[in-house]
Amino acid sequence: MAQDRGLSPPTRRAEITGLKITEPTPRPMLSMSGMRRWWRARIKEAPLEWMLALNRKPLVIMFLTAMFVGVGSALNFGMDSRTQDLSYIMMVVVGVSLSVALVLARCSLPHAAEMALIISGYLTVAALQFASVVFSDDVAYRLRSHAIAMSIWKALPAVFGFPVFPSFIFIGGTVVLDNLSLYLAKLTQGDTFEMRMVGSSLVYALGGMGVAIMQTGRLCGIYEFQQALAAEKALMESIITMMCDAIVWLSEDGSMIVRTDQRFTMLIGRNVKGEQVADSFTEHERERIQDCLQRAKEAPALLPTTLVNTAGTRIPVEMFVVGN
């Protein structure tokens, strides 16, 4: 009789082969250089030297305007014995504004130092205006002047297109002056100082900063367009140099020679910079020259004509005229 044999199920062995456990790659920590690259990729700014060259004369005029406003305010305050102290503050405004205007107009400073002078000059004038608010006994004048100062100074970076970092420094400084003057007015004059006033200052600051960043981007676009035009002009001049034997640059109306290259000076026999264009041609050719210059404003023009050098020799030439 056959015996039953218990059959046990086959055992299974799980094997893990080729498994590699790797540590998660840590994210690179933010660095100042990385943040700077991120900022420059998203916020474009024109070079500081270009912005200063564009705004130097308007900045001087603005400081002179602040000086004249200070003179008028000093005379106005000086008429009343109760506001003599305010007239002294305005005279300091006159001195600061005139000093900064003279330095900007007459001195050549490093660009960073010039920007620092502009920011510090305007912050000083703003601080003196807030000081007149604190020391005034007229509550209506304090409220009105503080409201004007709190709003108008924060628009200044956007007016001139300051770079973002100087704009941030200046607007941040005005926020400090806003709240410091309110606190000092509370201590000296008993005015109220509430958090909603601080909030209003911050709202104006954020708005001014946003407009300043927008204006910075617009100025950068103008700068890039100007650079593209300069490159195109340089390319055109290099092509003309290869095509022509001599080059002459004329004034906007085409009547005066602004500058020439050395080859034209040798050809004509003298330096003709500043002379009339007609003096280098024969008399009966002058009308044709003027007509050609007018046509060249629309499209490049070619004109066979005759030059007259210093010795009176007539030199037949072909003029290739290109207008800007």
Side-chain angles (χ1 to χ4, degrees):
M1 186 173 181
Q3 294 181 350
D4 293 334
R5 296 181 179 179
L7 298 177
S8 60
T11 59
R12 296 180 180 178
R13 291 183 300 174
E15 295 183 358
I16 301 176
T17 60
L19 180 63
K20 183 179 180 181
I21 301 176
T22 59
E23 295 291 334
T25 304
R27 292 184 177 181
M29 297 181 64
L30 290 177
S31 61
M32 290 300 297
S33 60
M35 293 178 63
R36 195 178 296 112
R37 287 194 299 269
W38 179 89
W39 179 264
R40 289 177 178 175
R42 287 159 177 80
I43 305 296
K44 293 185 177 181
E45 297 179 349
L48 181 60
E49 56 270 22
W50 181 85
M51 189 278 299
L52 290 173
L54 179 68
N55 286 310
R56 190 168 287 111
K57 185 178 292 185
L59 285 166
V60 171
I61 294 174
M62 187 68 178
F63 275 109
L64 292 177
T65 302
M67 182 195 72
F68 286 116
V69 171
V71 170
S73 299
L75 294 175
N76 187 30
F77 290 137
M79 295 179 182
D80 193 338
S81 59
R82 295 172 298 178
T83 56
Q84 285 289 336
D85 293 340
L86 301 184
S87 67
Y88 300 147
I89 294 175
M90 290 298 108
M91 291 306 297
V92 178
V93 170
V94 172
V96 171
S97 301
L98 180 60
S99 300
V100 177
L102 289 176
V103 171
L104 291 177
R106 299 296 181 87
C107 300
S108 179
L109 300 175
H111 301 308
E114 188 174 2
M115 189 74 249
L117 174 67
I118 294 167
I119 296 298
S120 59
Y122 278 127
L123 281 178
T124 303
V125 174
L128 291 169
Q129 183 181 5
F130 281 113
S132 69
V133 173
V134 173
F135 289 107
S136 175
D137 295 329
D138 187 351
V139 62
Y141 173 81
R142 289 200 304 272
L143 294 175
R144 183 174 62 252
S145 298
H146 187 274
I148 293 174
M150 184 174 64
S151 57
I152 196 171
W153 285 111
K154 293 173 179 58
L156 194 69
V159 172
F160 295 104
F162 289 166
V164 176
F165 184 69
S167 299
F168 178 78
I169 295 296
F170 179 80
I171 294 177
T174 60
V175 172
V176 173
L177 292 175
D178 289 344
N179 295 283
L180 181 61
S181 63
L182 287 173
Y183 182 72
L184 293 177
K186 175 185 177 181
L187 295 179
T188 58
Q189 307 292 343
D191 293 346
T192 58
F193 179 56
E194 300 178 1
M195 288 305 299
R196 60 185 176 86
M197 299 178 180
V198 179
S200 297
S201 177
L202 292 176
V203 168
Y204 283 126
L206 291 175
M209 195 66 207
V211 178
I213 293 175
M214 179 190 70
Q215 184 70 355
T216 299
R218 294 180 64 186
L219 282 181
C220 183
I222 295 174
Y223 168 76
E224 291 176 348
F225 181 71
Q226 188 182 74
Q227 293 300 108
L229 286 179
E232 182 180 348
K233 183 178 180 180
L235 178 61
M236 179 65 70
E237 289 184 0
S238 64
I239 294 174
I240 294 175
T241 302
M242 292 185 292
M243 293 174 55
C244 303
D245 296 324
I247 304 177
V248 180
W249 288 264
L250 305 180
S251 59
E252 187 69 24
D253 58 358
S255 62
M256 182 180 295
I257 298 175
V258 177
R259 62 189 176 100
T260 67
D261 63 357
Q262 186 65 28
R263 295 173 297 178
F264 186 82
T265 302
M266 295 174 61
L267 180 67
I268 207 73
R270 67 182 188 279
N271 185 7
V272 294
K273 179 180 178 180
E275 294 185 6
Q276 295 294 317
V277 176
D279 296 340
S280 300
F281 297 92
T282 58
E283 187 173 352
H284 68 277
E285 289 287 318
R286 294 174 183 176
E287 186 175 348
R288 295 179 63 236
I289 296 296
Q290 291 300 323
D291 180 66
C292 179
L293 293 176
Q294 291 297 324
R295 288 187 287 108
K297 294 180 179 180
E298 303 294 334
L302 183 65
L303 177 68
T305 185
T306 304
L307 280 174
V308 180
N309 64 10
T310 305
T313 305
R314 298 188 176 189
I315 307 172
V317 296
E318 288 187 344
M319 288 179 51
F320 181 62
V321 187
V322 179
N324 289 331

